[in-house]
Amino acid sequence: MSAGSVAVTVIDDDVPFWDLYELGVVCTVFGIPHPDLADPWYDLRLCAVGRSPDRPAPAPTGFSLRTPYGLEGLDGADTVIVPSVPEACLDGERELPDELLRALRRAADRGARMVSLCAGAFALAAAGVLDGRRATAHWMHTEALARRHPRVEVDDSVLYVDDGTALTSAGVTAGLDLCLHLVRRDLGAHVANQLARRLVVPAHRPGGQAQFVETAVPESGDEGLAPVLQWAAEHLDRPLTVDDLAARAGMSPRTFYRRLHAATGSTPLQWLLAQRLARAQSLLETTALPVERVGELSGLGTAANLRRHFTLHFGATPTDYRRAFRRAA
């Protein structure tokens, strides 16, 4: 599979400190080559919006960037990412640049994969890219997004939304989740997992924004969960049950369920399924084991059950997935 080219829009008259994280995430994930994982890596282009010699000085809470490209850099890019928009554009105090919206429409019309992080969804929505699609943004802005763009189906409960050629993420770290998801789509789970290890982050976080919206930190924290979850991840070939994991954690099943949901936003069974699917992906990519054996080692059981879950979650059979993402063991 090819990584392709990624064009990133930068509204460069004022880049607030808050927006640096999303921009930094994009540059870190797509702009730093990892030839041992995939060669070639992504071709990253930073594309300034509204570059001009007389642009205004940045606000006290931001600064300007010099970029190699203007909006012409979006032409021909396989993926276009809007990592953020100015705060004033979120409540209508300031309109997004017309040249940006036109460039986004052109990119979408020719079939580019359109991506936003956090408040960047406002730009895709204003360009009409999200009309009739499901999308998300930071939970603090989803109400405004839905109000200003009623044709967008706004979901404030998820970390990111993959709607095929339009992908949107919630705020801040959820942008990293989405970027790793893009790597997983393009280069496979093995590459995404190895990249996540280098970034010292989870390859995939289950759950949604609900776990971060006005949710008190559990009094006892989740320290008691880590050992049992690590053990479960190392024994996925066993027929694990919620009762088994709860007993190993020294909790009642109800307490274990509540603690895991508070920590991850996921139920125990959802968490187990995500781990099993990730193990199956890795085995298909890095080994020549028969599909039946992959099902056994991942805990998904028979080849038929493995095929059913893969088709449901990845839109491909295990054999087709292996053919697309096979890596040398």
Side-chain angles (χ1 to χ4, degrees):
M1 299 296 287
S2 173
S5 55
V6 176
V8 185
T9 64
V10 181
I11 301 179
D12 73 337
D13 60 350
D14 179 18
V15 182
F17 295 153
W18 184 259
D19 294 341
L20 281 178
Y21 183 87
E22 283 88 358
L23 180 59
V25 161
V26 173
C27 293
T28 299
V29 171
F30 302 110
I32 300 176
H34 296 273
D36 58 319
L37 298 182
D39 192 15
W41 196 249
Y42 294 87
D43 171 26
L44 180 71
R45 312 172 191 169
L46 292 180
C47 306
V49 179
R51 289 189 302 171
S52 66
D54 58 347
R55 64 180 180 234
T61 57
F63 53 87
S64 295
L65 295 176
R66 293 184 179 274
T67 65
Y69 299 92
L71 286 173
E72 76 283 352
L74 274 61
D75 296 339
D78 299 299
T79 301
V80 173
I81 301 180
V82 184
S84 63
V85 298
E87 187 76 20
C89 296
L90 304 183
D91 53 16
E93 293 181 11
R94 172 182 171 187
E95 295 299 321
L96 286 161
D98 286 338
E99 64 268 30
L100 170 62
L101 302 184
R102 289 195 297 269
L104 293 176
R105 291 189 195 103
R106 287 196 304 271
D109 288 344
R110 65 173 173 77
R113 182 169 60 182
M114 308 299 291
V115 180
S116 68
L117 309 186
C118 193
F122 281 77
L124 295 189
V129 174
L130 301 180
D131 285 355
R133 292 177 179 263
R134 181 166 161 261
T136 193
H138 192 291
W139 62 265
M140 293 179 66
H141 303 310
T142 49
E143 183 178 348
L145 180 64
R147 184 175 63 252
R148 293 188 62 191
H149 301 283
R151 298 183 65 183
V152 180
E153 181 186 342
V154 179
D155 186 343
D156 62 359
S157 67
V158 294
L159 295 177
Y160 59 82
V161 171
D162 182 341
D163 199 310
T165 56
L167 300 92
T168 54
S169 86
V172 197
T173 305
L176 179 54
D177 293 316
L178 178 53
C179 288
L180 288 172
H181 173 71
L182 291 171
V183 174
R184 192 178 302 113
R185 269 185 49 171
D186 296 338
L187 300 173
H190 179 71
V191 172
N193 293 346
Q194 292 302 310
L195 179 59
R197 288 187 65 193
R198 296 178 185 186
L199 298 176
V200 199
V201 296
H204 174 72
R205 288 192 300 160
Q209 292 196 69
Q211 60 187 305
F212 305 111
V213 182
E214 296 297 326
T215 301
V217 177
E219 293 180 5
S220 56
D222 64 355
E223 293 83 357
L225 292 176
V228 69
L229 295 184
Q230 179 65 33
W231 179 86
E234 294 171 355
H235 297 85
L236 293 172
D237 56 328
R238 301 188 182 187
L240 303 174
T241 67
V242 177
D243 288 348
D244 293 335
L245 298 179
R248 193 170 189 88
M251 307 175 190
S252 70
R254 179 176 296 182
T255 299
F256 180 78
Y257 183 104
R258 187 180 68 251
R259 291 274 298 279
L260 182 65
H261 191 272
T264 70
S266 178
T267 69
L269 292 181
Q270 288 171 338
W271 183 88
L272 272 174
L273 178 59
Q275 301 304 308
R276 294 189 193 284
L277 287 170
R279 172 65 59 82
Q281 285 179 300
S282 180
L283 290 172
L284 288 169
E285 293 175 20
T286 62
T287 76
L289 291 171
V291 171
E292 292 78 6
R293 186 60 177 151
V294 170
E296 294 170 359
L297 291 175
S298 63
L300 290 171
T302 65
N305 196 46
L306 176 66
R307 188 177 302 110
R308 181 174 67 84
H309 281 293
F310 256 67
T311 302
L312 178 64
H313 289 86
F314 306 124
T317 66
T319 301
D320 289 340
Y321 183 90
R322 168 173 274 165
R323 186 178 298 116
F325 294 111
R326 181 74 169 91
R327 297 284 181 271

